Structure formats: C-alpha cells, structure tokens
Amino acid sequence: MSSAEREEREPLLNELIFLDALRGYRYAFESLVERWQQLLWRHALRLTGRDDAAWDVMQEAWMAVARSLRKLRDPGAFRRWAFTIVTRAATDRLRRRGPEPTAGDDALDELPAPEPEGGEREQAVAMLRAALDRLPTDQRAL
C-alpha cells in the first residue's frame, strides 16, 4: 500500500475506531488514546510550557473525552473536538494556577533577525515559536 493510499484511509480508520469506542469497546478507546496521545500532548505542552502540566492536562482531557464521547455526533470531527477539549483543559489549569513569572518586555528584542536568503519560512516559524515560548503560559492558549 502506498503512502497516498494510507493517508486516504487514515480518516476512515479513525472514524471506525471512534464508532467502536462509541459502542463501548474498551480496545477502541485505548486505540483512540494511542493514535492521538502524542499529537494532543504536544498541543498541551505548547499551551502549558511544561511537561508535567501537559501530562496533567492530558489526563483531564482524556477523562472529559471518555465522559462526553456520546455527545460527538460526527466521527469526522473527532480531531477538532479533541483539540478543543485539550485547549479548554489547559486554559482551565492555567487559570487555576495563576500567571507565572514572565520574561521582561524586551524578550522579543532578543530574537535573532531572519536571514534574507533561503529558508525564510522555516526561520520565521522558528522565531514565532520562540516568541510564543516566551509568553506567560496563561496567554499561550490565546
């Protein structure tokens, strides 16, 4: 099977796994976690800025997914729905913890200027990520 065929079948497989999880099959829910954990955890890490906080958010998010799985009517919307749940869990956690100390206002001045030659997009993305990492964690979700 070619990679294009695999990519084409992936959304269908995700929907089938979701439908089995909806029917109450434990293996299917475990498969959902296995398939989505890393991607959702990276999102939680970007929002919280800390490994331990991201794992806490993931635990809360998966519990919320398990509790409200039956509310999702469109299996194709699982990705967007799961990311929304993680975002809300991260926002709630950050709100409960309160703001963290921030870098000074001059943090953006410390970013390197982009090089005008090749790789400008990659460098712009790297600069944006660096700037986002310097934001207080309670503002990253915005």
Side-chain angles (χ1 to χ4, degrees):
M1 178 184 316
S2 73
S3 63
E5 289 173 325
R6 235 178 282 127
E7 284 181 33
E8 216 173 270
R9 292 180 179 185
E10 195 67 22
L12 292 174
L13 184 56
N14 283 329
E15 288 183 31
L16 289 172
I17 292 169
F18 171 83
L19 290 171
D20 279 350
L22 195 57
R23 289 183 188 106
Y25 294 118
R26 183 182 180 133
Y27 76 88
F29 188 80
E30 290 170 355
S31 185
L32 277 179
V33 172
E34 185 178 307
R35 294 174 75 77
W36 291 98
Q37 178 74 5
Q38 185 176 16
L39 191 61
L40 293 172
W41 181 82
R42 280 185 286 177
H43 179 60
L45 180 61
R46 276 192 299 272
L47 296 174
T48 63
R50 294 186 20 228
D51 283 356
D52 60 330
W55 285 117
D56 289 345
V57 164
M58 289 308 302
Q59 184 175 3
E60 290 174 30
W62 282 117
M63 289 182 347
V65 166
R67 280 191 307 268
S68 56
L69 197 62
R70 297 195 185 285
K71 293 179 183 176
L72 183 62
R73 298 286 181 226
D74 177 12
F78 179 81
R79 177 188 179 101
R80 182 178 60 245
W81 181 70
F83 270 90
T84 299
I85 289 173
V86 170
T87 300
R88 287 181 183 153
T91 303
D92 290 347
R93 186 180 198 293
L94 293 170
R95 206 175 285 133
R96 285 190 308 265
R97 268 195 26 232
E100 289 185 0
T102 63
D105 291 338
D106 56 293
L108 293 178
D109 296 336
E110 298 172 16
L111 293 175
E115 294 179 18
E117 312 239 350
E120 288 180 13
R121 183 176 192 281
E122 290 81 13
Q123 196 154 16
V125 168
M127 287 176 53
L128 179 59
R129 285 192 175 135
L132 289 171
D133 288 342
R134 288 188 172 95
L135 283 174
T137 55
D138 61 329
Q139 294 178 8
R140 287 185 194 155
L142 298 176

